[in-house]
Amino acid sequence: MGVVASGTATAAPTATAPAAFTPAQLVGPYASDVPPTGTYIPVLDGFAELRRAHPSIIASNLQKVKAINNSATRAQQADAIAVNYDDRLVSLSDALGDRLGTVFRQLLAAGKLPKVDALAGGDTARAGLPLGTTLLEKEYYDNPRPFVVAPTSIKRYDKPGGHLYAELVNNGSYPSGHTNMAYWKGALLAYWLPELGPQIIARAGEIGRSRIVLGVHYPLDVMGGRIMGTDIAAARLADPRFAQLIDQAGAQLRDQLRRSVGMSLTDFIARDTPYLTTQQAVSEHRNLMTYGFPVVSPGQVNGIPASAAALLRSRFPGLTDGQRLDILRRTAIRTGYPLDRSGANGGWLRIDLAAAYAVTP
């Protein structure tokens, strides 16, 4: 069965090693390797408008960091430190539940998920390369981090002998790279395991908040990271050739998980201790989408980008892209919050993927 008497799931060995992608499959190139505008700056450039026309939002941005950082519980501090040093995929796996998350991490560490690892594991994961790293965007905006701007107001949390703050002191804050990776990796993991989609996306939001807990990012950085990560995941899934790789990785993941737990994933998930209930996940994620900022552009008009429909393909396989887009529209937050944009580059901020996954078909 792959489950010991204590109730802890263990990864059962398989007869043959799961196949990896070939170098040619990973190299491509793929149409989604480069965004249509060359960088992700156009979808992130609501930040420039805030700097220019909304100084009160920028000031509030720093005050929110101070409040979250200074009031962080020991559990939040410990989680934030772990998130900083772990791969985002490992951090996201908490959302799979007590036992299934353990099985996933065991399989990943044992090399039993080579296709998942190639696409979403580590900082050099193929789905995020070559232009999904936030390096160009950080250099462009050159925004100093909270602990640099307000060194006496930000508490520093790090592991013994850690190097977190020393590494980031000269590195721009906007957008958050950890959040960006949490959301595009989270969107792929949710695509592979749609039964746990709300929990996975909520965990991505927690990973973003952890960067504020540490005082290395602002809420706007985290919101920008979510914009960029959601765009990246949608582009990959909307690219037919790259989506084939994603589907192969998902099939391998589900097969290896089933082999390890010895039953259907539906049954195992139902018996597992959940990370959050679906209702808790949706509520928590919604609270982490805007960090209490007010609407700054009440008359703004935009739509959900068409490519975003692909994010829900595995959750609602029987629907058309138009119907999936309608779900994203119905579950989205309103227009006009900070970083939301008008026109073709707008709408990404509004997508609440946790709520969309929770919709009953």
Side-chain angles (χ1 to χ4, degrees):
M1 290 290 290
V3 182
V4 298
S6 65
T8 301
T10 58
T14 55
T16 58
F21 289 121
T22 66
Q25 284 178 302
L26 290 176
V27 170
Y30 294 94
S32 55
D33 283 346
V34 179
T37 52
T39 72
Y40 290 93
I41 290 171
V43 299
L44 294 168
D45 214 33
F47 189 61
E49 174 65 13
L50 293 174
R51 278 172 154 177
R52 184 188 66 81
H54 296 280
S56 64
I57 296 295
I58 299 299
S60 176
N61 200 31
L62 178 58
Q63 294 307 312
K64 290 177 185 294
V65 180
K66 293 178 183 179
I68 293 171
N69 166 265
N70 289 182
S71 65
T73 65
R74 290 192 179 276
Q76 289 173 331
Q77 295 169 30
D79 184 53
I81 293 168
V83 165
N84 183 73
Y85 292 100
D86 286 343
D87 176 22
R88 304 307 87 72
L89 192 57
V90 171
S91 299
L92 285 163
S93 68
D94 290 349
L96 304 188
D98 185 37
R99 292 187 290 163
L100 192 64
T102 298
V103 173
F104 175 86
R105 290 187 291 273
Q106 290 173 341
L107 289 170
L108 194 64
K112 299 294 187 180
L113 302 174
K115 292 184 177 180
V116 169
D117 196 30
L119 296 189
D123 292 344
T124 58
R126 182 61 178 91
L129 293 178
L131 294 179
T133 64
T134 72
L135 295 177
L136 293 173
E137 292 75 16
K138 279 186 168 71
E139 183 175 356
Y140 177 83
Y141 291 105
D142 192 26
N143 196 59
R145 293 179 183 263
F147 74 92
V148 174
V149 172
T152 61
S153 301
I154 298 296
K155 296 179 181 179
R156 297 192 180 197
Y157 312 119
D158 203 354
K159 66 182 183 181
H163 45 73
L164 164 61
Y165 296 93
E167 285 188 346
L168 298 179
V169 66
N170 294 316
N171 182 263
S173 78
Y174 182 82
S176 165
H178 272 68
T179 308
N180 165 54
M181 293 181 76
Y183 271 97
W184 71 252
K185 292 186 181 195
L188 294 187
L189 189 58
Y191 185 85
W192 293 326
L193 296 169
E195 303 95 326
L196 294 166
Q199 289 81 357
I200 294 167
I201 300 305
R203 180 59 178 157
E206 291 176 348
I207 290 172
R209 182 183 59 196
S210 78
R211 308 305 286 166
I212 307 172
V213 166
L214 294 176
V216 299
H217 278 292
Y218 304 86
L220 291 177
D221 299 342
V222 170
M223 292 162 64
R226 175 164 57 81
I227 289 171
M228 184 171 170
T230 306
D231 189 351
I232 290 171
R236 289 309 199 186
L237 285 163
D239 177 347
R241 290 182 59 238
F242 200 93
Q244 290 179 10
L245 303 186
I246 295 173
D247 288 340
Q248 290 177 37
Q252 184 178 82
L253 171 61
R254 296 184 70 88
D255 177 64
Q256 289 296 310
L257 287 174
R258 279 193 299 265
R259 289 170 181 266
S260 296
V261 303
M263 65 181 75
S264 75
L265 293 185
T266 299
D267 289 342
F268 191 79
I269 289 169
R271 301 179 188 187
D272 201 358
T273 301
Y275 183 68
L276 296 168
T277 67
T278 295
Q279 184 177 357
Q280 288 170 336
V282 171
S283 177
E284 177 176 296
H285 188 253
R286 180 58 63 101
N287 289 335
L288 293 175
M289 290 184 69
T290 59
Y291 283 94
F293 284 116
V295 168
V296 295
S297 301
Q300 191 172 70
V301 176
N302 62 29
I304 302 300
S307 63
L311 295 167
L312 296 180
R313 191 184 301 133
S314 68
R315 174 67 180 92
F316 303 106
L319 300 185
T320 66
D321 278 346
Q323 290 170 322
R324 296 182 192 114
L325 270 180
D326 185 60
I327 290 173
L328 290 171
R329 292 188 191 102
R330 288 190 283 114
T331 55
I333 61 174
R334 62 162 296 178
T335 58
Y337 281 101
L339 299 183
D340 197 12
R341 304 207 66 198
S342 298
N345 292 315
W348 293 107
L349 181 81
R350 299 176 53 217
I351 295 173
D352 185 346
L353 203 51
Y357 263 98
V359 168
T360 301

